[in-house]
Amino acid sequence: MTALAPSGSTRRMVLAGAAVLLLALGLVALMVVRPSAASPSGASSARSAPAEGSVDAGFARDMAIHHQQAVEMSFIVRDRTDDEDVRRLAYDIINTQANQRGMMLGWLELWGLPKSAAGPPMEWMGHTLTPTDDGSLMPGMATDAELAALTAAKGEKAEVLFLRLMTVHHRAGADMAQAAAGAAKTDAIRDLAAGMVLGQQSEIGLMADMLKERGAKP
């Protein structure tokens, strides 16, 4: 298998493929969660929509961004290894997190709220994040340099780097989801966040085993 150099065109191709998948899943999610205009639940949903500065809205926005990078990294490693276990994990992350991202963006649309926040990320958790220029917007997210290294790697080197980056990514994501599960006001966000905690913690354990099999530490 030939290694691909980290280039702008490669990143754009990866992101374009992810964007198409995310758009399709987002449209499906909108159809699932959007109540009929004639339904009483539609009116009650509008009245009970979370506020602009709510935990529900903040989590949906930030986790959508967090998930987007996880999907991007999974697309990258999928094309840089022939290992079936790593490719299967990447495929699962792509499908699960793209679907969840579509659901969260769909709920923001349903609530009549913008999909991007006016302020810095994670204010809903009481965090004050200092903007950086390394591409890592939130805890756990890979930097531009780390994404470039993953793009340049191949074979076992790509596998180990992906597993390490995704472990850190999942740990931070699980922390965010745990906070939302305990503080969100809508059943939709509480239930989704609680499921994310379980799912990502399970994958953290799986990735630890996969790293051990490759003689690497998390």
Side-chain angles (χ1 to χ4, degrees):
M1 182 170 55
T2 303
L4 299 180
S7 65
S9 60
T10 300
R11 288 286 302 281
R12 286 193 294 271
M13 289 173 62
V14 170
L15 290 172
V20 171
L21 176 62
L22 295 175
L23 176 60
L25 289 168
L27 290 173
V28 171
L30 279 174
M31 290 186 289
V32 171
V33 303
R34 184 183 295 279
S36 167
S39 168
S41 63
S44 62
S45 176
R47 287 194 300 268
S48 61
E52 167 67 19
S54 65
V55 168
D56 305 69
F59 172 76
R61 290 170 181 142
D62 288 350
M63 190 57 82
I65 294 171
H66 219 263
H67 273 15
Q68 182 177 358
Q69 191 187 72
V71 171
E72 178 186 354
M73 289 194 292
S74 298
F75 269 116
I76 293 172
V77 78
R78 186 195 62 174
D79 297 331
R80 284 156 179 77
T81 179
D82 294 325
D83 185 89
E84 288 302 317
D85 290 336
V86 173
R87 287 174 60 86
R88 187 179 300 110
L89 174 63
Y91 181 82
D92 288 345
I93 291 172
I94 290 168
N95 280 276
T96 299
Q97 298 209 11
N99 184 35
Q100 291 173 345
R101 184 173 187 270
M103 291 171 66
M104 290 182 288
L105 294 178
W107 286 327
L108 288 168
E109 177 75 17
L110 178 65
W111 297 332
L113 298 175
K115 297 179 180 66
S116 58
M122 300 181 73
E123 280 188 323
W124 60 275
M125 286 183 70
H127 290 190
T128 302
L129 299 182
T130 302
T132 63
D133 58 3
D134 65 359
S136 178
L137 301 178
M138 283 174 273
M141 292 186 69
T143 64
D144 290 338
E146 288 169 334
L147 289 176
L150 179 61
T151 301
K154 65 177 183 178
E156 187 170 291
K157 183 177 179 181
E159 296 161 18
V160 170
L161 183 54
F162 169 76
L163 293 169
R164 285 174 169 163
L165 290 175
M166 193 59 72
T167 295
V168 174
H169 203 276
H170 270 20
R171 284 173 179 159
D175 288 344
M176 290 171 61
Q178 186 71 61
K185 301 302 182 184
T186 62
D187 289 340
I189 291 294
R190 284 197 303 269
D191 292 346
L192 179 64
M196 285 181 188
V197 174
L198 295 176
Q200 296 199 18
Q201 287 178 341
S202 176
E203 287 183 344
I204 288 170
L206 172 63
M207 291 188 290
D209 290 339
M210 295 172 75
L211 283 167
K212 185 177 181 180
E213 290 169 0
R214 290 160 177 78
K217 296 180 180 180

